Amino acid sequence: MYGLEGHAPLGACLSRVELRDAHGFIAFCLDECWVMLENFTQLEHCGVRIGGVGPDEEIHQLDLLKLRSLALEWRQSAAEGIGMLFDSIRAPSLTDLDLRGNLPFRERIVGERWPHLRMFLERNRPPLKVLELAKTDCTLLDLTGCLAALSVNGPASLTHLTFSRCLLDSECIQKLWGDEDSPKVLNAIRTLMKVESFGIEDCEVYALDDLVCSLCVDHLLWPVARSLIASDHLQDLKCSLMELFIVRSGSLTDESQRYLEDSPVIVEYEEGCPSPISSDEDEDDD
């Protein structure tokens, strides 16, 4: 495992590992990643790239109680096993989560939502401040459930939410403010209204104008929040959005651009089309 065997005695004191490189040459099998995390339980930051599933082995719970920052990248060949890794990690102190990789094709075929990120957040209830998703088909995620999990235990702490080279469609966006009477939607809105910086870069967004209007109207993060506040569900909650980045994720109509200009939010808008999202294993490095 790239010489990690010789560092095993450091497991009790090692606080940071970065096992990625700019060219994508370094890649662990899932079982190697699990062994590494099992030995280095005092980690505060971990960055790792996973290139394959490896031998079939039962993965036990990994207690990473000091882990604050986790960055995971994976190739398509490892997508089937990423859910198992998420299901094994206990990290209640996590504040930064950076995920880069696409989800299993199985979810696309049967139309299921990939549940592992939502379950991870529900189980750990971390004080997450930063969530970054890259190279992910977000239509396969229960985004509403993921965001709602961050408000179940009290006020959400999420301040930065970024999508890079992701796929977002109108259904995915609309579900974020769907049923006003749903506790899940209420908690998702509580989380979203705490977000200070919202970024979309090189994404395929099949409702970009709707998303912009939703973000900026009346300086509330989501339109439904107006009726929710009026009905005392979120009476004392104000929108925290300060920065909005939309970069190479399609084109906005003139009306939407005027929306942005009139908004009190600081906006960076760069018109253009995103680069294609490839499922090739070797297309995982920027």
Side-chain angles (χ1 to χ4, degrees):
M1 293 199 305
Y2 302 100
L4 285 179
E5 297 91 340
H7 294 82
L10 299 176
C13 56
L14 194 65
S15 63
R16 181 183 180 89
V17 294
E18 187 63 49
L19 302 173
R20 300 175 295 171
D21 66 299
H23 302 290
F25 294 142
I26 297 177
F28 284 67
C29 288
L30 185 65
D31 60 326
E32 293 175 326
C33 178
W34 183 83
V35 170
M36 183 267 294
L37 293 175
E38 185 182 36
N39 280 281
F40 301 152
T41 58
Q42 302 300 306
L43 289 177
E44 296 180 10
H45 167 79
C46 177
V48 64
R49 178 185 175 93
I50 300 174
V53 176
D56 292 332
E57 292 185 12
E58 183 179 356
I59 295 182
H60 304 287
Q61 179 171 294
L62 297 167
D63 289 323
L64 303 171
L65 304 184
K66 295 184 177 181
L67 190 67
R68 298 185 180 279
S69 175
L70 176 62
L72 287 180
E73 298 183 31
W74 61 89
R75 295 175 178 172
Q76 189 66 53
S77 58
E80 290 287 346
I82 289 297
M84 293 188 295
L85 183 61
F86 267 104
D87 292 345
S88 71
I89 293 176
R90 181 172 172 237
S93 301
L94 196 67
T95 59
D96 291 61
L97 182 58
D98 183 348
L99 305 177
R100 298 174 179 270
N102 219 333
L103 301 177
F105 288 117
R106 177 175 53 83
E107 269 71 18
R108 304 182 186 200
I109 295 172
V110 301
E112 297 177 353
R113 298 280 178 179
W114 195 72
H116 302 284
L117 178 57
R118 173 184 55 79
M119 293 165 55
F120 171 82
L121 295 173
E122 288 177 344
R123 185 176 67 256
N124 287 282
R125 297 184 179 180
L128 202 66
K129 294 181 179 179
V130 178
L131 176 59
E132 299 183 28
L133 298 175
K135 304 176 183 177
T136 301
D137 183 349
C138 294
T139 66
L140 302 179
L141 284 174
D142 179 9
L143 276 179
T144 305
C146 292
L147 295 169
L150 298 175
S151 286
V152 170
N153 235 21
S157 54
L158 191 70
T159 58
H160 290 71
L161 178 60
T162 305
F163 300 91
S164 176
R165 300 190 66 194
C166 291
L167 175 62
L168 293 158
D169 66 2
S170 56
E171 180 183 2
C172 179
I173 294 166
Q174 290 166 2
K175 282 182 179 296
L176 291 174
W177 66 81
D179 182 0
E180 298 181 20
D181 296 324
S182 165
K184 183 167 76 170
V185 171
L186 289 174
N187 283 326
I189 291 174
R190 288 188 177 97
T191 297
L192 287 165
M193 291 184 73
K194 290 290 187 179
V195 171
E196 298 175 3
S197 178
F198 189 105
I200 303 173
E201 181 176 358
D202 278 319
C203 289
E204 294 184 45
V205 186
Y206 298 130
L208 186 58
D209 287 291
D210 291 342
L211 178 60
V212 167
C213 293
S214 302
L215 286 165
C216 295
V217 66
D218 291 345
H219 200 205
L220 293 174
L221 197 55
W222 307 110
V224 72
R226 287 174 291 174
S227 60
L228 292 172
I229 291 174
S231 61
D232 294 334
H233 287 291
L234 302 172
Q235 187 173 8
D236 298 324
L237 196 58
K238 295 182 179 180
C239 178
S240 302
L241 189 65
M242 299 171 61
E243 299 176 329
L244 174 62
F245 302 93
I246 302 175
V247 180
R248 294 183 303 276
S249 296
S251 300
L252 293 170
T253 62
D254 291 341
E255 181 180 0
S256 293
Q257 291 187 53
R258 286 194 295 270
Y259 240 173
L260 293 178
E261 292 171 359
D262 295 337
S263 168
V265 175
I266 297 173
V267 176
E268 178 184 336
Y269 170 57
E270 180 183 330
E271 185 176 5
C273 297
S275 54
I277 300 175
S278 171
S279 61
D280 294 341
E281 293 185 12
D282 297 329
E283 195 274 323
D284 284 2
D285 40 83
D286 291 318

